[in-house]
Amino acid sequence: MRHNLKSHRKLALFGASVAIGALALSGCGNQKGQGNDEADSGSGGDGDVTIALLLPESKTTRYESLDKPNFEKYVAEANPDAKVEYRNANQDATQQQQQFEAAVTEGVDAIVLDPVDASAVASALSKAEAKKIPVIAYDRFFEGADYYTSFDNKKIGNLQGQAVLDGLKAENVDPKSGPVWMVNGDPKDPNAADFKAGAEETLKGAGVDIAASHDTLDWNPDDARQWVEGQLQGKGEKPIAIYSANDGTAGGVIAATKKAKVDPVVTGQDAEVDGLQNILKGDQFATIYKSIPPQAEFAAKAAVALAAGEEVDAGTTYKDTPTDFVEAKVVTKDNIKDIVGDQIKAEDICSGSVKKLCDKAGVK
């Protein structure tokens, strides 16, 4: 461990598939240039331990609706006297660095950071290290963290690549019969690089022709849409499939392909409501379901332990950092019904014209 710990007791972390009930969000992150009383003062009670939770953005719905409330829940379970200070960077790396430095200045006991730009956190980390504040890498890895929890992102890329192949097989299309395009995630996000590497490995291993590839700035669906629209206006052969790194970019891809009246296999990630609805409509073949509560639990227990000066006994290591990974699974129309529960609710998916499709797929 990097920090001088008050004691050397080991805390074993156990993953959980605990059913999380509907939790009211106790606050949102700061908007650019605006204060938010709760974001500034924290959302927990007055306790002896303060943990800063710094999340990157709110366009991806999981952060506000799942990561934040579950993290707060598991911190409270691990230490009822602990206080969580939450801030959201709104996809602004400079704002996040200011939030990080403010947490250090305030003297928090641990910082849980999901970075907007993992390459830009070194200077902030040095300030935390100087004050012996442990830092946890949440969801996105960065060098210098005391602990890391996420999903095995290269493996997720492998799953995504296989989903493309399975989608082509389901359409009776030979994966070597035409070009495949890749709409990747944000180049500043190290997870996106892992997704891309894993997907490329699987697709190239199957002899797929990856004819074009694009890194989507800030995971912006409009950027994905505009790139695909531009590609489709060219005179080259139209794609038989378009790999999309998440459901948001998949939505942009689908908008572009519908406009051009082409129908490639499209995949995504995160099992967001829009993505699941697109799967039920037949516009998207698959997504990747990632259960957030176990990840939030790993981070919460590690933060409470490190704040108390305890070591964390993690399940594995990643780049010499104690790490716990959470398993993910591919979701298609055939098994959407299996993931409906507390994280994904049928009533959110099955609205409007999608309700009949839910009934047909057994989603209830």
Side-chain angles (χ1 to χ4, degrees):
M1 303 297 295
R2 174 161 59 89
H3 298 288
N4 296 325
L5 302 177
K6 299 173 186 175
S7 68
H8 299 283
R9 298 188 301 277
K10 297 248 182 182
L11 178 68
L13 298 185
F14 297 95
S17 54
V18 180
I20 309 299
L23 297 175
L25 295 182
S26 55
C28 297
N30 290 349
Q31 299 300 313
K32 291 182 182 179
Q34 295 179 346
N36 178 295
D37 291 340
E38 193 159 353
D40 291 336
S41 63
S43 51
D46 295 329
D48 296 329
V49 173
T50 301
I51 298 167
L53 175 64
L54 309 181
L55 296 183
E57 45 98 352
S58 56
K59 285 184 179 180
T60 305
T61 59
R62 57 167 282 192
Y63 293 119
E64 297 282 340
S65 64
L66 292 169
D67 296 88
K68 173 183 179 288
N70 278 291
F71 180 81
E72 291 172 336
K73 169 190 170 68
Y74 287 119
V75 165
E77 288 183 2
N79 181 355
D81 293 326
K83 178 174 69 172
V84 176
E85 288 192 357
Y86 170 63
R87 296 181 176 100
N88 191 299
N90 298 294
Q91 201 60 51
D92 185 329
T94 300
Q95 183 181 15
Q96 187 172 67
Q97 181 166 347
Q98 293 168 349
Q99 292 169 346
F100 189 105
E101 292 175 354
V104 171
T105 300
E106 291 163 10
V108 300
D109 299 285
I111 297 173
V112 177
L113 173 65
D114 188 344
V116 173
D117 183 352
S119 66
V121 301
S123 62
L125 281 178
S126 65
K127 295 178 181 179
E129 185 173 10
K131 288 201 171 184
K132 297 183 171 59
I133 299 172
V135 180
I136 291 167
Y138 184 78
D139 204 50
R140 295 168 180 165
F141 180 78
F142 50 85
E143 296 287 349
D146 296 280
Y147 173 82
Y148 171 51
T149 183
S150 184
F151 299 82
D152 188 333
N153 296 309
K154 185 172 181 292
K155 183 177 177 181
I156 285 178
N158 293 140
L159 292 174
Q160 290 178 303
Q162 187 59 48
V164 170
L165 298 175
D166 291 345
L168 290 169
K169 182 179 179 180
E171 298 289 333
N172 295 314
V173 176
D174 182 347
K176 300 179 183 179
S177 66
V180 171
W181 297 351
M182 293 188 69
V183 176
N184 308 299
D186 185 356
K188 300 187 299 297
D189 183 345
N191 289 2
D194 286 341
F195 301 147
K196 179 180 179 179
E200 283 184 340
E201 178 181 79
T202 299
L203 292 172
K204 289 180 178 179
V208 167
D209 172 24
I210 300 175
S213 184
H214 174 70
D215 294 336
T216 307
L217 187 63
D218 293 337
W219 293 94
N220 190 329
D222 285 336
D223 181 60
R225 175 185 56 77
Q226 290 168 8
W227 181 77
V228 173
E229 284 181 351
Q231 291 292 116
L232 290 172
Q233 289 170 5
K235 295 181 180 179
E237 189 177 357
K238 301 306 185 238
I240 57 173
I242 301 179
Y243 158 89
S244 301
N246 73 349
D247 290 342
T249 54
V253 168
I254 291 166
T257 56
K258 281 184 172 296
K259 181 179 178 181
K261 294 181 170 57
V262 296
D263 189 25
V265 169
V266 178
T267 61
Q269 181 186 186
D270 289 331
E272 293 192 351
V273 168
D274 288 347
L276 295 171
Q277 289 179 336
N278 283 333
I279 290 173
L280 289 168
K281 293 173 185 176
D283 295 330
Q284 182 173 325
F285 176 72
T287 187
I288 305 293
Y289 172 69
K290 301 189 294 187
S291 182
I292 303 304
Q295 184 186 17
E297 182 176 16
F298 279 134
K301 287 186 174 181
V304 170
L306 292 171
E310 299 173 342
E311 292 184 0
V312 178
D313 221 1
T316 187
T317 59
Y318 177 81
K319 296 186 178 180
D320 298 323
T321 302
T323 297
D324 284 298
F325 285 130
V326 181
E327 290 299 314
K329 67 184 293 184
V330 176
V331 176
T332 65
K333 188 182 296 185
D334 293 335
N335 65 342
I336 288 179
K337 60 182 182 295
D338 298 334
I339 65 167
V340 170
D342 294 306
Q343 180 168 317
I344 297 172
K345 294 178 171 54
E347 57 264 32
D348 294 334
I349 306 168
C350 304
S351 58
S353 61
V354 181
K355 188 176 188 311
K356 289 184 178 179
L357 298 173
C358 281
D359 293 341
K360 188 176 179 180
V363 179
K364 56 186 179 180

